[in-house]
Amino acid sequence: QVQLQQWGAGLLKPSETLSLTCAVYGGSFSGYYWSWIRQPPGKGLEWIGEINHSGSTNYNPSLKSRVTISVDTSKNQFSLKLSSVTAADTAVYYCARGIPNGYDILTGYYKSRYFDYWGQGTLVTVSS
Amino acid sequence: QSALTQPASVSGSPGQSITISCTGTSSDVGSYNLVSWYQQHPGKAPKLMIYEGSKRPSGVSNRFSGSKSGNTASLTISGLQAEDEADYYCCSYAGSSTFEVVFGGGTKLTVL
């Protein structure tokens, strides 16, 4: 059974860097895309970005300038860093396993993902 | 502003059926049948209910079904039960030149 367990600092001051790590237990680490998704209090889900086992990344264009996602395949872990946080970054952050689907024969890439396993979520609050 | 539009709320009585819509464009929802649906209870992580438009993961009740017509995907829950009361989110690729995943704004299902 696949389990994702995440951890990181829950209280930050404006301008600091958010840092979270997600460990994957059970199942293969390769062949999937490992995502970070966040949810502000009382609001909907927002995809932040993803990484695969070889370190290839994709980011939400609205966050790209501040986001770095990295991977440590020796530990089956991946991490999120979000710089220069503000109160607008206050949210529950989830890690999730993304299954690539919708193979595009013209580009050789998969067009989409669906998320079958999720971490427990980490509330990150940004406040002075 | 979500790229995918969902109704803010829907409601139904136990035993009834409800449908939640997810409207995109011809570039995302309309292009391929790749929409996924997630159920989220308060304080919990989302749970995958439907993927690739109409496929159910192992363990998900067959009361949940997905479909698509044009640029709108739909999630139907039949035989409503109290435990179905939750928030539901659709998800699709954004259809842009770079890879991006987008979620709908979410729909609160109330079982009356």
Side-chain angles (χ1 to χ4, degrees):
Chain A
Q1 179 73 347
V2 176
Q3 290 188 339
L4 278 65
Q5 186 171 349
Q6 57 183 102
W7 64 89
L11 181 60
L12 296 174
K13 290 181 168 53
S15 80
E16 292 185 334
T17 296
L18 178 156
S19 182
L20 298 173
T21 297
C22 182
V24 180
Y25 301 100
S28 173
F29 197 70
S30 62
Y32 303 100
Y33 283 82
W34 304 94
S35 274
W36 290 97
I37 296 162
R38 71 179 183 178
Q39 185 173 37
K43 296 187 178 181
L45 301 168
E46 180 181 33
W47 179 76
I48 299 170
E50 65 176 13
I51 192 166
N52 68 4
H53 72 283
S54 61
S56 176
T57 55
N58 291 299
Y59 297 129
N60 186 322
S62 68
L63 298 169
K64 187 174 183 177
S65 64
R66 298 193 291 131
V67 173
T68 301
I69 298 177
S70 58
V71 67
D72 184 342
T73 55
S74 68
K75 296 181 180 179
N76 281 9
Q77 294 177 2
F78 61 107
S79 299
L80 168 70
K81 291 190 185 299
L82 179 66
S83 64
S84 304
V85 297
T86 69
D89 295 310
T90 293
V92 175
Y93 286 74
Y94 294 100
C95 57
R97 187 175 83 168
I99 308 289
N101 62 342
Y103 183 73
D104 187 336
I105 195 169
L106 294 179
T107 64
Y109 292 100
Y110 288 91
K111 296 187 73 67
S112 191
R113 314 279 184 263
Y114 60 92
F115 305 102
D116 61 344
Y117 288 98
W118 296 65
Q120 77 275 20
T122 300
L123 174 61
V124 177
T125 302
V126 181
S127 174
S128 55
Chain B
Q1 188 83 15
S2 300
L4 305 179
T5 301
Q6 298 181 232
S9 63
V10 298
S11 63
S13 299
Q16 288 186 331
S17 294
I18 63 94
T19 296
I20 300 171
S21 61
C22 171
T23 301
T25 69
S26 58
S27 297
D28 42 56
V29 174
S31 291
Y32 294 83
N33 206 6
L34 296 176
V35 171
S36 53
W37 289 91
Y38 302 85
Q39 175 193 66
Q40 186 180 35
H41 288 109
K44 301 294 187 181
K47 174 187 177 182
L48 177 68
M49 304 303 286
I50 296 287
Y51 67 99
E52 293 179 356
S54 60
K55 298 178 181 178
R56 274 190 311 275
S58 174
V60 171
S61 170
N62 59 10
R63 297 186 299 105
F64 292 82
S65 62
S67 62
K68 192 192 84 162
S69 178
N71 297 337
T72 298
S74 297
L75 173 71
T76 298
I77 308 173
S78 59
L80 269 181
Q81 299 179 0
E83 67 207 48
D84 299 331
E85 184 163 297
D87 293 324
Y88 291 84
Y89 294 90
C90 62
C91 178
S92 172
Y93 71 101
S96 59
S97 57
T98 57
F99 180 85
E100 184 183 356
V101 169
V102 290
F103 288 91
T107 298
K108 169 66 177 176
L109 168 62
T110 300
V111 180
L112 301 171

